[in-house]
Amino acid sequence: MSLATAAGDVEPRRSIRHFYDLAELETDEVLELLRLARRLQTHPEPRALEGKVLSLLFLSPSLRTLSSFQAAMIRLGGGAFVISPEMSIHGMEVAAGVVMDGKAAEHLADAVPVIASYGDALGVRVFAERRHLERDLADTTYRAVARHVDRPLINLESAVSHPCQSLADWKTLDELGVPPHRGKIVISWAFHPKALPLSGPISAVNMAALRGMNVTVLRPDGFELPARIIERARAIAAKSGGSVRETSDRREALQGAQVIYVKEWSSTQHYGDSIAEKRLRDQHADWCIDESWFRETAPDCRLMHAMPVRRGVAVQDAVLDGPRSALTLQAENRMWSQMAVLYRMLRGT
């Protein structure tokens, strides 16, 4: 059965209360969202969310997430407003029980309920602190914010989860013709001059596992994903008919791959130790994807990357600007897939 046929057979869900992690959904729930996204793309409903307001709280920077949610609400007839530290918050304190005699002028316990009250749903983006691995894996800051929200909530990217990107990536894989079951995808580390969060690779691995794909995480030694993350992804893949493994062998990993999904992330071996982490990361500056990665092992492999992408650092221009690249399609699919989430969250059926 094709993915499109399977999606059409799924009974629609009434609503979504908290869109936190795509891997928390059942496959049929994801398929229904994708079916709805395709419907809204081909048959617009410009008044579906007329009178609805989406509050957006960006405690971390954004380009595609911000603009795609604003465009999604406009296309559905609603509106959105944005709050960010650069625009209207002079620092926000997240810790409980502190004396606020420093830089922060707002506490999330006061600010979040107010921001949420102005809209029918709230989207929150807050990156990992990247100091303590266990704290970030527990998504401590995002959950602290979520405790103060009394209405539908969308995770716009947290320390360990980026469900909006994952849903768009699934839609992109469909449109690239990559089979949902037993398709081969490589989630590959690439060099970046800064230590970046784990949310991207974690979400990509879980998405591909839920889709039933054969997933290979390709990374240098010292950049392994946390064991609990791999164990969860393997459990998801086993249920969906796929598999998950890790390797540092580039040639072997790419053999027969249909898609390479490039991401940059911090060393888990030296997590929170910026000096040691940078020393290890700088040893792998040659992990920049160019055409030599594909010639012998994966000549027809497509390239995905959630962006922003460092040209000439993570991926060479010739690959980004060539026929392999699906980056613009990925970015556009953010809007269509998020329209489905907003429609289901704020309209229901």
Side-chain angles (χ1 to χ4, degrees), residues 187 205 215-219 225 230 244-248 265:
I187 313 295
V205 170
V215 185
T216 298
V217 179
L218 172 63
R219 77 296 177 274
L225 293 182
I230 293 297
V244 176
R245 66 190 186 93
E246 281 192 283
T247 184
S248 60
W265 66 86

Side-chain angles (χ1 to χ4, degrees), residues 160-238:
V160 294
S161 183
H162 198 350
C164 301
Q165 184 66 56
S166 295
L167 187 61
D169 291 340
W170 191 316
K171 185 174 187 294
T172 303
L173 288 167
D174 289 351
E175 293 169 3
L176 293 177
V178 179
H181 299 291
R182 298 300 178 182
K184 182 173 181 181
I185 186 170
V186 175
I187 313 295
S188 178
W189 185 89
F191 180 73
H192 194 282
K194 298 180 180 179
L196 295 186
L198 294 170
S199 55
I202 290 173
S203 296
V205 170
N206 285 336
M207 177 276 301
L210 184 62
R211 201 170 180 267
M213 302 183 74
N214 289 325
V215 185
T216 298
V217 179
L218 172 63
R219 77 296 177 274
D221 292 338
F223 291 85
E224 299 84 353
L225 293 182
R228 73 170 71 171
I229 298 300
I230 293 297
E231 289 170 6
R232 183 190 183 209
R234 284 175 175 156
I236 293 169

Side-chain angles (χ1 to χ4, degrees), residues 91-166:
M92 181 177 285
E93 179 60 64
V94 300
V98 298
V99 176
M100 292 178 58
D101 56 358
K103 178 182 177 181
E106 295 271 6
H107 196 284
L108 70 84
D110 303 315
V112 171
V114 172
I115 296 167
S117 73
Y118 296 150
D120 299 284
L122 173 68
V124 175
R125 184 177 177 99
V126 54
F127 287 170
E129 296 177 354
R130 295 199 299 280
R131 291 196 291 268
H132 304 287
L133 181 58
E134 291 304 313
R135 178 180 171 84
D136 285 344
L137 290 178
D139 228 349
T140 304
T141 305
Y142 177 86
R143 294 184 185 280
V145 173
R147 281 196 293 271
H148 297 282
V149 180
D150 64 352
R151 59 202 61 211
L153 176 62
I154 303 173
N155 178 5
L156 307 181
E157 186 175 5
S158 64
V160 294
S161 183
H162 198 350
C164 301
Q165 184 66 56
S166 295

Side-chain angles (χ1 to χ4, degrees), residues 10-132:
V10 176
E11 289 296 320
R13 304 283 170 168
R14 294 292 299 179
S15 63
I16 296 172
R17 183 71 185 176
H18 187 185
F19 192 60
Y20 169 68
D21 180 357
L22 194 74
E24 290 184 344
L25 302 182
E26 296 295 331
T27 302
D28 64 342
E29 294 178 289
V30 178
L31 296 178
E32 165 56 21
L33 284 171
L34 293 169
R35 185 195 67 78
L36 177 56
R38 289 192 292 270
R39 191 187 90 199
L40 293 171
Q41 186 173 359
T42 57
H43 296 85
E45 296 188 30
R47 301 184 67 178
L49 298 185
E50 190 172 28
K52 298 292 186 180
V53 175
L54 175 65
S55 310
L56 295 169
L57 175 59
F58 281 85
L59 299 177
S60 301
S62 169
L63 188 156
R64 277 151 294 276
T65 299
L66 172 57
S67 55
S68 61
F69 264 104
Q70 289 175 312
M73 284 299 290
I74 292 170
R75 284 179 178 271
L76 291 170
F81 69 88
V82 184
I83 299 296
S84 72
E86 291 76 15
M87 295 171 59
S88 50
I89 301 175
H90 300 291
M92 181 177 285
E93 179 60 64
V94 300
V98 298
V99 176
M100 292 178 58
D101 56 358
K103 178 182 177 181
E106 295 271 6
H107 196 284
L108 70 84
D110 303 315
V112 171
V114 172
I115 296 167
S117 73
Y118 296 150
D120 299 284
L122 173 68
V124 175
R125 184 177 177 99
V126 54
F127 287 170
E129 296 177 354
R130 295 199 299 280
R131 291 196 291 268
H132 304 287

